Amino acid sequence: MVDTLILLLFLISGAATGWLGVDLLPENLLQQVTNLEGLRTVLAGFGAFFGLLAGFFFQQLRKRLMAQVRSMPTDLLVSRAVGLILGLLVANLLLAPILLLPLPWEVVLVKPLAAVLSNVFFGVLGYNLAEVHGRTLLRLFNPTSTEALLVADGVLLPASAKILDTSVIIDGRIRGLLESGLLEGQVIVAQAVIDELQALADSSNAEKRGKGRRGLKLLSELRETYGRRLVVNSTRYEGNGADDKLLKLTADTGGTLLTADYNLAQVAQVQELKVMNLSALVIALRPEVQPGDALQLKIVREGKEADQGVGYLEDGTMVVVEDARQRIGDRLAVTVTGALQTPTGRMVFARCDRPAGRQGGKPVANGGQQPTGPG
């Protein structure tokens, strides 16, 4: 409806300009015209045609502008708007003396030309300065704050916002990270993530429905605990899936994407975005296990290879123990022989500590040699 109204207004404006523009033609030219009404009709037709073209152009420009406004964070939009307004204000203050100067008719076009150029120049300048040096506004709003002064001078970097992925919310460990104080700055939850959690909560699959409800409940509890620190970004980005929208939000805000999805973290790194992989963080915080370390481990299941048993450390690290298939359910003393680091976690290899004279947990006579008969 709005697009049709825009085209209609441009069409009428173009036709009216062509119809009324006849009166602006020189008199000597009008005296040569025998059919003035026909001339008005022709000019009105040309005006309507060019007005329609201008309407199509303005329509496309409006769509692109609205798409940028919808996808732009509110703080960035406000800062750019303030910079643009200040730039236009400076331009018009400088133009006031020039516009009041009496100029001869031959150079009268200098005034509107200077007005257009100065407004464009100072408007773009204010827009760019507000985007690049917006942090210096901290000095104006809070000049007594030491932190504000350090941030404004570039000595102290402000804490970047943390943008939560759906996997992190469903995982639930984000609560522990916030309570421990390891995460600084605001925590942003995108509208796309909330929509995805709602879709999971409404799913017919019981497992997905449980994950969605658990994630929504966690967000509600975090909102009650941290208040304004948890921000819901209502910007609706266009893209294929929640991951694509999260990447756009991260790029626009300059924040850090917090995710447990390995593939999403890799895509963010390719796009040179700040990303914190929760799985990689957990692996980095695990205690180091070196070859030769002695462990007390309970064997819980069989391994893939023959005679292998599998146990787990307290942090969830899987330990593959040789010659332990027959000892499932027992707690054994094992010695670490090596470790393998994978993109999804870490795997530790170990062997059983068997006392001398025992093999497979059973006594063997003569140091492991089978007894021989006489002769």
Side-chain angles (χ1 to χ4, degrees):
M1 181 63 183
V2 177
D3 294 337
T4 304
L5 183 59
I6 290 174
L7 293 178
L8 185 60
L9 289 176
F10 271 90
L11 180 65
I12 295 176
S13 299
T17 302
W19 182 272
L20 299 176
V22 176
D23 297 333
L24 300 178
L25 296 176
E27 294 183 1
N28 56 354
L29 183 61
L30 290 177
Q31 292 175 358
Q32 301 176 6
V33 177
T34 57
N35 188 356
L36 188 60
E37 295 300 325
L39 179 61
R40 288 182 183 275
T41 304
V42 172
L43 291 181
F46 275 105
F49 174 73
F50 287 108
L52 191 62
L53 291 180
F56 277 113
F57 175 77
F58 181 80
Q59 190 180 80
Q60 298 300 320
L61 182 62
R62 170 185 167 275
K63 290 181 179 179
R64 293 184 59 183
L65 181 61
M66 292 303 296
Q68 291 183 0
V69 170
R70 289 193 186 99
S71 62
M72 188 180 301
T74 305
D75 53 351
L76 185 60
L77 178 63
V78 172
S79 63
R80 288 177 176 180
V82 171
L84 179 62
I85 292 173
L86 292 178
L88 294 177
L89 180 61
V90 172
N92 285 274
L93 289 176
L94 295 177
L95 275 174
I98 299 176
L99 297 178
L100 294 177
L101 290 176
L103 297 177
W105 175 257
E106 291 79 6
V107 292
V108 70
L109 292 178
V110 172
K111 290 184 178 181
L113 182 62
V116 172
L117 293 178
S118 61
N119 277 277
V120 171
F121 175 76
F122 284 100
V124 174
L125 181 62
Y127 177 92
N128 292 331
L129 287 177
E131 182 178 5
V132 177
H133 301 287
R135 290 184 301 173
T136 56
L137 292 176
L138 293 174
R139 187 191 296 271
L140 300 178
F141 291 121
N142 194 7
T144 59
S145 173
T146 305
E147 182 180 356
L149 293 175
L150 293 175
V151 171
D153 292 335
V155 177
L156 178 65
L157 295 178
S160 61
K162 305 302 183 294
I163 302 169
L164 302 185
D165 179 28
T166 310
S167 59
V168 174
I169 299 175
I170 294 177
D171 182 272
R173 287 179 288 183
I174 183 64
R175 187 205 303 272
L177 288 175
L178 290 172
E179 292 176 352
S180 64
L182 293 177
L183 295 183
E184 297 180 345
Q186 284 189 323
V187 179
I188 298 179
V189 180
Q191 185 63 43
V193 171
I194 296 180
D195 294 340
E196 188 173 13
L197 288 175
Q198 184 177 2
L200 290 175
D202 296 336
S203 174
S204 58
N205 186 287
E207 183 179 357
K208 293 183 179 180
R209 185 166 60 249
K211 289 182 179 180
R213 292 178 178 177
R214 185 168 65 250
L216 292 175
K217 182 180 179 181
L218 177 63
L219 286 181
S220 178
E221 294 174 353
L222 292 179
R223 189 62 179 269
E224 294 178 0
T225 304
Y226 297 97
R228 294 184 178 180
R229 187 182 175 188
L230 182 66
V231 179
V232 177
N233 188 290
S234 58
T235 305
R236 294 188 176 275
Y237 290 89
E238 295 182 358
N240 298 323
D243 291 352
D244 193 15
K245 298 175 182 179
L246 279 174
L247 293 174
K248 291 181 179 180
L249 175 60
T250 305
D252 287 343
T253 59
T256 301
L257 177 61
L258 189 60
T259 180
D261 188 339
Y262 175 77
N263 294 326
L264 179 59
Q266 293 298 310
V267 173
Q269 290 180 357
V270 170
Q271 297 184 8
E272 297 182 350
L273 301 176
K274 298 178 182 178
V275 60
M276 181 185 297
N277 189 345
L278 185 59
S279 300
L281 178 62
V282 172
I283 293 174
L285 294 178
R286 287 176 177 174
E288 289 291 335
V289 179
Q290 302 293 337
D293 291 349
L295 303 174
Q296 291 291 329
L297 195 68
K298 182 178 181 180
I299 307 302
V300 296
R301 63 181 178 87
E302 299 178 352
K304 292 184 179 180
E305 303 295 334
D307 298 331
Q308 285 185 347
V310 175
Y312 294 91
L313 300 179
E314 293 182 357
D315 58 8
T317 302
M318 184 172 70
V319 182
V320 179
V321 184
E322 298 294 334
D323 300 326
R325 180 184 289 266
Q326 306 300 326
R327 307 293 298 275
I328 296 177
D330 298 340
R331 182 171 293 275
L332 306 179
V334 301
T335 301
V336 178
T337 58
L340 177 63
Q341 184 68 49
T342 65
T344 57
R346 181 178 55 175
M347 182 183 299
V348 178
F349 298 93
R351 57 176 172 79
C352 294
D353 293 338
R354 291 171 296 184
R358 294 176 65 88
Q359 183 174 0
K362 298 180 180 179
V364 178
N366 298 329
Q369 299 291 331
Q370 297 293 333
T372 58

